[in-house]
Amino acid sequence: SVVKYYPEYETLEEIARDFNQNWVTAIEMLTNDVYLGAENFQNIFALRRNPHSMSEEIRCRLDTVGIYNLGEMINKFMRGSLVMANNSSLSSMNIAKESIMGDDSMDDCTESESRKLTLSIGTQTLYATIDGSIGSVIGLDASSAAFFTALQRAMTRIVNPVGDLKHDVFRSYRGQRNHQASRGFIDGDLIESFPELDPAIMDLIVEDMNKERRWDISDLKKTRSSIKESNSRLDGHRSKKRSFSWGDFGHG
């Protein structure tokens, strides 16, 4: 639950609550209204408060905006990065991106229109697990998260997993009584493996991304280079275990 302290009365008032039952092992406040948590079934989750809603019921409820199975129990979150801050936190890479517009506007733009995707890093949170791992959760802006989400989906469809263990099954949220597909997080370990793939596999992944009609990229070599560049810019912010927060709930 989220409580507010009134110093003039020396009292605490509960202003929002997560009605899901979790055995929480660690929690971190990403922003005033967004919170990152970990629990004993080796999952992590993100909660969002809606303080500006017109409904009191919604204002008092914490909505789950992300769930993800890390595979290790986290017992500590803290703000920070393992590297010194640099100017690459806000960077751009050239890719060709189809405009996301209504059907009436599609005739006015070409499918291979070149756009610039700004890779913007928001909050940076370190974590430690009981197994001795150190990792980070990095907030991404919505456009960067959409790009990496499309890349993740394409990689899981094209690349054969080790032991035929499907990625969505491995990262799915597993609790004591429920089992849900992961959402709201991007697997940084998977994204980082893209530059190590065979060029022919890279081409197949990019072509699969283009089928979604959101990343229409005609120059495959340029695309591979752009993804490698984005990986290298993020690499300085990552450590042994990586999980990127999805969308803009961890950004800012």
Side-chain angles (χ1 to χ4, degrees):
S1 61
V2 179
V3 298
K4 183 177 181 180
Y5 177 63
Y6 295 91
E8 62 272 25
Y9 304 111
E10 296 185 350
T11 58
L12 294 171
E13 178 189 5
E14 181 181 289
I15 58 176
R17 169 181 288 270
D18 176 24
F19 291 94
N20 298 308
Q21 294 183 351
N22 291 309
W23 188 296
V24 178
T25 59
I27 194 165
E28 178 66 26
M29 191 173 183
L30 300 183
T31 69
N32 288 337
D33 301 317
V34 180
Y35 318 101
L36 179 67
E39 43 97 290
N40 64 323
F41 285 99
Q42 304 180 348
N43 302 300
I44 58 177
F45 57 91
L47 303 173
R48 172 184 281 156
R49 186 167 71 96
N50 301 285
H52 305 298
S53 174
M54 299 296 293
S55 170
E56 182 178 359
E57 180 182 355
I58 296 177
R59 289 197 304 270
C60 295
R61 184 182 67 217
L62 294 177
D63 294 328
T64 301
V65 293
I67 51 177
Y68 181 87
N69 183 263
L70 185 69
E72 297 182 40
M73 186 189 297
I74 294 175
N75 59 359
K76 178 66 176 179
F77 282 122
M78 67 177 297
R79 288 287 190 95
S81 172
L82 294 177
V83 297
M84 296 292 292
N86 55 58
N87 293 331
S88 68
S89 294
L90 290 174
S91 58
S92 298
M93 63 180 180
N94 290 318
I95 67 169
K97 175 183 175 184
E98 180 178 312
S99 298
I100 304 175
M101 301 178 180
D103 294 338
D104 295 336
S105 303
M106 290 302 294
D107 295 334
D108 298 330
C109 58
T110 62
E111 291 186 348
S112 60
E113 181 180 4
S114 179
R115 292 294 181 91
K116 197 176 259 191
L117 175 67
T118 300
L119 179 62
S120 180
I121 295 175
T123 60
Q124 299 179 52
T125 306
L126 297 175
Y127 66 78
T129 73
I130 61 173
D131 296 318
S133 298
I134 298 176
S136 61
V137 180
I138 302 173
L140 298 176
D141 67 293
S143 60
S144 299
F147 175 79
F148 285 115
T149 299
L151 175 59
Q152 176 176 270
R153 283 197 298 263
M155 291 184 67
T156 57
R157 285 192 288 256
I158 300 300
V159 179
N160 294 323
V162 176
D164 290 329
L165 178 61
K166 293 184 178 180
H167 179 268
D168 57 347
V169 175
F170 174 59
R171 291 304 187 188
S172 62
Y173 180 94
R174 294 184 288 277
Q176 185 174 4
R177 293 179 177 147
N178 63 340
H179 192 159
Q180 304 178 51
S182 65
R183 56 186 172 89
F185 289 91
I186 302 170
D187 190 344
D189 287 315
L190 179 66
I191 299 298
E192 187 187 40
S193 67
F194 180 85
E196 302 171 0
L197 298 175
D198 184 88
I201 300 297
M202 292 184 185
D203 292 346
L204 292 176
I205 291 172
V206 172
E207 290 174 359
D208 190 82
M209 291 176 67
N210 292 344
K211 292 178 182 178
E212 298 187 3
R213 297 186 59 81
R214 294 186 62 188
W215 311 103
D216 191 0
I217 308 167
S218 57
D219 187 346
L220 298 181
K221 291 183 178 180
K222 182 178 180 181
T223 304
R224 294 200 304 265
S225 176
S226 297
I227 296 175
K228 288 180 180 179
E229 178 186 352
S230 66
N231 266 324
S232 65
R233 293 184 187 279
L234 284 170
D235 192 53
H237 299 271
R238 298 183 296 201
S239 55
K240 184 177 179 182
K241 294 288 183 180
R242 292 154 293 271
S243 304
F244 299 143
S245 55
W246 185 90
D248 59 356
F249 66 73
H251 182 262

